[in-house]
Amino acid sequence: MSGLFDELGKIAGAVIAEQAVDKLDPDAGILEKAAGAFAGYEAAKIGENKLENHDDEEQSSG
């Protein structure tokens, strides 16, 4: 079940990034919006991995 929540977090990051591109440049094309969505998805994935690594480090040292 946590895998589903992880994917939802990444998708939310993609949607938020796409909306940000739209706000910054209302005339942005589909490629610019897609690039923003991809960047948001990847950023959410990286953030999630960092949080998981931090949690693992805390559990192993505690």
Side-chain angles (χ1 to χ4, degrees), residues 2-4 8 10-11 14 16 19 21 24 27 30-32 38-39 42 44-48 50 54-56 58 61:
S2 77
L4 176 64
L8 286 175
K10 293 172 194 170
I11 292 169
I16 291 167
Q19 292 296 311
V21 168
L24 290 172
D27 298 326
I30 187 76
L31 291 177
E32 293 158 325
F38 180 74
E42 289 298 313
K45 186 167 63 172
I46 290 168
E48 176 189 323
K50 289 198 177 278
H54 181 69
D55 290 343
D56 291 343
E58 282 184 357
S61 66

